[in-house]
Every structure is written in C-alpha cells, then in structure tokens.
Amino acid sequence: MPSDLAISRAAARRPLEEVAADMGIGPHLLEPHGSAASKISLDAIDELRDRPRAKYVVVTAITPTPLGSGKTTTAVGLGQGFRHIDKLGIVAIRQPSMGPTFGIKGGAAGGGYAQVVPMEALNLHLTGDTHAVTAAHNLLSAMIGNHIHKGNRLGFDPHEITWRRVLDVNDRELRTIITGLGGPDDGNPFQSGFDITAASEVMALLSLCTSLRDLRERMGRIVVGYNRGGEPVTAEMLKAAGAMTAILKDAIKPNLMQTVEQTPVLVHSGPFGNIATGNSSVVADLIGIHAGDYLITEAGFGADIGAEKFFNIKCRASGLAPDAAVIVATVRDLKTHSNKYRVVAGRPLPPEMLAENPDDVIAGAANLRRQIANIRRHGVTPVIAVNAFPTDYDSEHQAIMDVAAEEGVRAAISYHFTEGGRGAVELAEAVAEACAEPSSFHRLYPDELPLVDKIDVIAREMYGADGLDLSPLAARQLDKYERAGFGSLPVCIAKTHLSLSADPKIKGAPTGWRLPVREVRASIGAGFIYPICGDMRTMPGLSSAPAAERIDIDDNGEIVGLS
C-alpha cells in the first residue's frame, strides 16, 4: 500500500469553491489561501442558520495505545462513507500541532485512503492560525513583564503570576525558566516556563468562542495572576485584550479543506486533548451543523477525556446537542488492555501481539465497556467502530463485535484506511440508525456544583476512581477560585490519555485507586478550571529518535518523511 504522503499527492482535488457549494456556502464567504485551504467568513453562521440541522456525531475512542486508535482516520472515513449512501457528511477536526508532528506521534491528517489533503499543508503551517495563537499569547506575556517593569500599577504579586509563555514545539528545556536576567534594563527576574501552544488558554478560548465579539470578551477575562490583595488581574486590566484579538482576527475563521474523496472538511483550532479541551472549534460546528446531512467531529483521545470534555465544555459553549457517538476500537488497543503487551511509540509492536489471539482481545474488553458506559452516562447512543488493520484476524474482529452485542451497542468493522469511503459504508449505516433514535443528552454535573465536587464526579463516574487526593496546593487553589467567583465554571481535567487512571502504565478499567490532583489552574477566558493530575506535562519533550530526523526536502522541493 502506498504511503500516506503518496496517497495524498495522488488524490484528485476539486476547487474549494465547488466543495463549499456542496455545503451551501457561496464564494463570497471564502477567502482562498492557495489551493490547499480557504478561510470561511463567520457570516456563514447567519447565512446558513435557516437551513435544516444536520445530525451531530462525535468520534471518540477507547483508551488508546501511544500509537493512537485512528479517530481522525475514522472520522474522515465516516464522512466519506456517507457519500456512498447518498448523504453529505461534513467532517470537523482540529489542526495538528507541530509538536507531535516533529515529535513521536507524527501528523494528524488521517491516514491511508481516509485522510485530509494535502497532508503536508494540514500538518505544518496551513493558514498560520497556530502561529497567531502563539503570538497573541506571548504578547500578553510581554505586556505583563512590561507592566511590572514600568512600576506595577496593578500591584502584581510576583509569586502569583500564572501566565506562562507558549511555543508550538516539543522542548523540555523550556518547561521551567528564569526570565529577566541581565540587569535592570532587561526586566525583572521571575520563575516562569513554556507550555506547548496547543495547551494555551488562547487556543482553548479560540476553540470555544462563538463570534468575534465573544472572542474579544473572553480575551478580556483571561486571568494572568493576582495582586497582593489576592484579587485576580486580567488581560483587560492590562489593556492587552484588544491587541490580542486583533492578532486573531483572521485565525477565528475556520479553514475549509477536503478529503481524498473530496468530502468537505472544516479544520479549526488545536487544543490538546489530555491537557486542554481536545476538540475543534465551536464556530466550525456552528457552520457545519447547517451545511450537510451529518456533521462528524472528533474529540481527542478516549471517551473518558475527549468525549467528556466535548459533552460538558464544548456543548455547553455551543448549545449544540449530539445525536450519536462513535467509539473507535482497534484489536491492538484491546490486546494492550489485556496487560500482556507493552506498546512503545516509535518501536515495532511486540511480534507475539500480531499473532491471532481473540482471547487477548476479550481480556482487554473492560476498557471498551467502561467507555460505552461513559457515553451512555450522558444520554447519547454509542456506536462501536472497529478500525481494521491489515494485520488483524477475523476472529479478533468478531471478538469485539461480540462484546458490542453483549453491551447492546451497534458496531461495524470499518476498512476505511485501505478502502476509503466504501470500506466505511456499514459504519455510516450504523451511525445513521443511531442518529434516528431519540437522544436524551445531558451534562454530567450542574453548574452550581462546587469545583472539587465536579472533579470528584468526573473521577468516579468517568475514570472509575474511588475519590480524589488533593495536594495542599490544589486545595488552596480551588478555594481561591471559589472565592473569586469562578465556581460555576466546568472543569477540564489534564491527565494521561494512556490510562483511565492517572498512571499511564495501568491499563484496562482499574478500580481501587484515587485521582491525585497536583495543582489546579484557571482558564477564565476560555471558561473552565483545569486540574493537573499525576505526572502530567504541559510542555512535551522529544524522543530519542523524533520524527523531525526523518523529515526533509528532496531535490524537487517536495517534503519527504512526513507521516
């Protein structure tokens, strides 16, 4: 089978004006960025408002291996599959971060014959939205330092500055830094650090806003620290929010691309799944929900993380209610949850893991059952998508189908990676049936529940924990946020995506453990509080053999080695 990059370059692409026309979007709403992508004006939200509402489908997964479960590939394949049953599926995904692209995981354009094209444009700069987020975030950092250097009129407590810097690269050297070294003309020395841009509150804020005005108001609410009286200091108080919004004036517009089968794709924003909200933008969904028969959006990592944040944070912001949820599961995922195999990113799978063994699949089914329950807990109908690999065996696929039958859940074996849309027809039909059923969608907790109780509800009901272990720092921070009036916000838990627990080595559906909450940060502009659990890093590091070592330019000026 050709490489993803070869398939992408061989794909026939339609002019994006024609792709947009399928969605009911006229050329006056498009801003071309070469042949790869076009920006869509937010005026499309109002122009499409009176059109019929599409069925809303979120694609999530069981707890993945470090290699992923193929959610983006499945979301793209499902969108293509709807074409084969005479329905228009619109796909909405995040823009990949260049940190993973040049790090361990690689790109996130889908794969095989179910991918967004051109993949090199999607996985690198695209229309520069991520760089705009980086610039807006770091402008605020600069204005904080300048304000203190010029007299500190707002009375910042130097030990209570919570705003760090960001960069769209994996760089462990920047996790903890000292700024302002060099003398009085070079600012004031403070301990700070860098997060990856995908973890920036500005990125999360961009993904959750509903309009340019909402973006501006959320910018003003960003809390960057506290004064000596313990009161929050905001970007509005620093007079930085207007300039930050100006930097993002074009970045707020979703990007239109297409799949290898010319299915429309909305690509917008890229908040990390295990650190931030892990979902593409609200404005893209507000356009896509009136642009086709089905709107398929992807939520980062397993249903305990990405789908939970989709239901309780993104849907809260958008006002949209999902009609169905697709849970992607692979044979290697379930075999990993049998606790018999160790999968390491960048290394081949253990040879014995590739042998036919449906008993190992059944042994790892507890995680799948938990994720089914997590979807049902929100009143949404789940559908299992068995993402088929060429190395799988029919007996192993059947083992997953048997688990689905025992749980009373629709399931389909999908061959979208090797066959494109025609390999996802059964999945599209199953999703269409699920969407036809009445939905009783509801969020997991009420807004008025105290923050610590919200964290506890998620830990117990989504992860299977027995409760929380708050560090003294986390307890103080939660108390401070409640006193500051932030208690009605939802919580966005930052934890490992490799386990239902906070320990990436623990597989399956563990019981008898407690969720350790190390610290709690406040993203007031984005509109959530995020606890950091266990050994969770907000700035990843590179591996011993990062993907960057394999990426280059050939003699024809073409990118090679991208995956």
Side-chain angles (χ1 to χ4, degrees), residues 180-513:
L181 298 179
D185 291 338
D186 297 320
N188 299 283
F190 292 112
Q191 180 171 318
S192 185
F194 277 77
D195 298 329
I196 194 164
T197 299
S200 166
E201 179 177 354
V202 177
M203 181 67 85
L205 187 157
L206 179 68
S207 74
L208 291 169
C209 70
T210 57
S211 66
L212 187 60
R213 173 50 50 191
D214 186 33
L215 176 67
R216 173 63 181 82
E217 292 173 355
R218 287 173 178 266
M219 285 291 193
R221 294 197 294 268
I222 291 173
V223 172
V224 299
Y226 297 83
N227 64 21
R228 293 185 180 91
E231 299 168 327
V233 180
T234 66
E236 195 68 59
M237 295 165 70
L238 284 164
K239 301 180 180 179
M244 295 169 69
T245 307
I247 292 172
L248 296 175
K249 181 176 179 293
D250 290 323
I252 192 177
K253 303 169 186 174
N255 305 293
L256 176 64
M257 298 184 75
Q258 59 189 294
T259 74
V260 292
E261 295 185 7
Q262 305 169 350
T263 301
V265 182
L266 299 170
V267 180
H268 199 217
S269 77
F272 255 25
N274 52 353
I275 297 170
T277 48
N279 287 268
S280 60
S281 77
V282 165
V283 290
D285 285 4
L286 292 178
I287 292 171
I289 200 69
H290 294 291
D293 299 305
Y294 295 86
L295 173 60
I296 304 119
T297 188
E298 176 206 347
F301 300 124
D304 57 304
I305 299 180
E308 184 274 312
K309 295 173 182 180
F310 170 82
F311 294 140
N312 296 295
I313 300 177
K314 184 178 181 181
C315 290
R316 184 180 190 266
S318 70
L320 300 176
D323 296 288
V326 174
I327 303 175
V328 180
T330 68
V331 166
R332 68 185 185 190
D333 285 340
L334 273 79
K335 284 186 174 181
T336 300
H337 286 294
S338 72
N339 283 307
K340 293 183 178 180
Y341 307 100
R342 183 168 177 261
V343 177
V344 179
R347 298 182 189 174
L349 293 174
E352 60 273 18
M353 191 177 185
L354 300 177
E356 183 174 9
N357 195 331
D359 290 341
D360 283 353
V361 176
I362 295 296
N367 188 275
L368 174 57
R369 296 181 196 274
R370 162 65 71 174
Q371 304 293 20
I372 291 170
N374 286 344
I375 297 298
R376 284 175 163 163
R377 177 65 181 79
H378 293 87
V380 178
T381 302
V383 177
I384 307 302
V386 182
N387 182 18
F389 283 68
T391 54
D392 298 344
Y393 293 89
D394 291 344
S395 63
E396 296 172 332
H397 288 163
Q398 187 58 50
I400 302 176
M401 298 293 284
D402 290 345
V403 172
E406 291 170 10
E407 295 292 325
V409 178
R410 291 182 181 85
I413 303 168
S414 192
Y415 300 92
H416 46 272
F417 184 87
T418 54
E419 299 178 14
R422 65 186 177 88
V425 167
E426 288 188 15
L427 176 60
E429 291 172 339
V431 171
E433 290 177 4
C435 287
E437 294 182 350
S439 176
S440 58
F441 169 67
H442 52 270
R443 294 197 287 270
L444 191 60
Y445 48 78
D447 294 346
E448 61 271 16
L449 196 67
L451 292 172
V452 67
D453 292 335
K454 291 172 182 172
I455 302 169
D456 188 71
V457 166
I458 295 172
R460 291 177 186 274
E461 299 203 20
M462 295 291 103
Y463 310 155
D466 287 345
L468 306 178
D469 286 332
L470 296 179
S471 73
L473 172 62
R476 290 195 303 271
Q477 290 168 326
L478 286 170
D479 180 63
K480 178 170 64 176
Y481 300 149
E482 291 281 4
R483 285 187 283 106
F486 305 148
S488 64
L489 296 176
V491 294
C492 179
I493 295 181
K495 79 170 189 71
T496 180
H497 61 286
L498 297 174
S499 173
L500 283 166
S501 75
D503 183 345
K505 298 187 294 295
I506 299 176
K507 304 303 179 183
T511 58
W513 63 280

